[in-house]
Amino acid sequence: DTAVSQTPKYLVTQMGNDKSIKCEQNLGHDTMYWYKQDSKKFLKIMFSYNNKELIINETVPNRFSPKSPDKAHLNLHINSLELGDSAVYFCASSQERLGRGYTFGSGTRLTVV
Amino acid sequence: DAKTTQPNSMESNEEEPVHLPCNHSTISGTDYIHWYRQLPSQGPEYVIHGLTSNVNNRMASLAIAEDRKSSTLILHRATLRDAAVYYCTLYNFNKFYFGSGTKLNVKP
C-alpha cells in the first residue's frame, strides 16, 4: 500500500491548458504539502494544509490553486499553464508540525510544450 | 531561500563509512536539522533529524556541531542502494528549506 500516492505520474500538456494533480495519503497524517522541484533539483514549498485549512501559501502565482476535500487528500489545480511550470511536483504529508519527518509521494513530472 | 550549503558530489567505496557535510551558518535557535535522500525518479525519503544533540537511527547518524552551524550525516557502511542525492535541510514553522544536495556515488 503506497503511503502518499500522486496521479498522474507524468503529464504532458500544451501551454494555456488547465490541469490537475491529485494526491492522497493513507497514513492518517493531518498536514499535507505541495513542493515543486525545478530542473536544478531545488525543492521549494508551495502550499501546506492542516486538517483542510490552508496554513502555508508561498509566493506562488494565483494560477495555482490547491484544494483539500478532506485531510487525506490535497489536489493541485493549475490554470493557463506556462512553459515555466514544467517541473516535478511532489506531494507530502506529516503528522506533527515540528521536527518530524515528511513522507513524500513519488512525484508528478509536468511538461508544458 | 536555500540556507544550507553542501558539496555537489561525493564518492565512496561500498562497505566503507561516508561522512556527508553540511553548513548552515545562519541557522536560528528553533530550526531543526533534517536530512533527506532522493533516489532517481523517487520522492525524498526521510533519513534523520536533530536539534542540538547527536542522533542515531537504523539508517544513519547525525553529528551536530556545538555551535549548530554545521552538521554531518554519517552512513556507517555504504551500500550500492545508498547512492542518491542527500539533502540537508532546515525545518522551522512547518517549512523545509532545501538546498541543492550532495550526489553520493557508491563504488562497488
Side-chain angles (χ1 to χ4, degrees), chain A residues 36 44-47 56-64, chain B residues 1 95:
Chain A
K36 178 181 179 180
K44 295 190 104 172
I45 190 167
M46 300 174 69
F47 301 104
I56 293 175
N57 184 353
E58 291 292 281
T59 336
V60 176
N62 57 15
R63 298 182 295 104
F64 290 78
Chain B
D1 271 338
K95 284 189 264 189

Side-chain angles (χ1 to χ4, degrees), chain B residues 13-100:
Chain B
N13 293 319
E14 200 176 8
E15 303 293 314
E16 290 185 356
V18 182
H19 289 231
L20 297 163
C22 180
N23 286 322
H24 27 79
S25 57
T26 59
I27 192 170
S28 73
T30 53
D31 285 342
Y32 282 80
I33 301 159
H34 281 241
W35 284 80
Y36 281 79
R37 71 180 186 181
Q38 187 174 20
L39 278 68
S41 300
Q42 292 189 27
E45 174 190 26
Y46 168 77
V47 177
I48 200 167
H49 79 278
L51 185 61
T52 56
S53 305
N54 294 344
V55 185
N56 299 301
N57 67 19
R58 63 175 179 80
M59 289 181 74
S61 294
L62 175 61
I64 301 173
E66 201 168 325
D67 63 4
R68 299 207 331 124
K69 293 186 176 182
S70 65
S71 61
T72 302
L73 179 71
I74 303 164
L75 307 179
H76 296 289
R77 288 176 67 208
T79 70
L80 296 178
R81 287 177 295 178
D82 291 324
V85 177
Y86 286 78
Y87 292 98
C88 166
T89 77
L90 300 183
Y91 181 84
N92 202 342
F93 296 110
N94 218 29
K95 284 189 264 189
F96 280 109
Y97 296 95
F98 283 88
S100 56

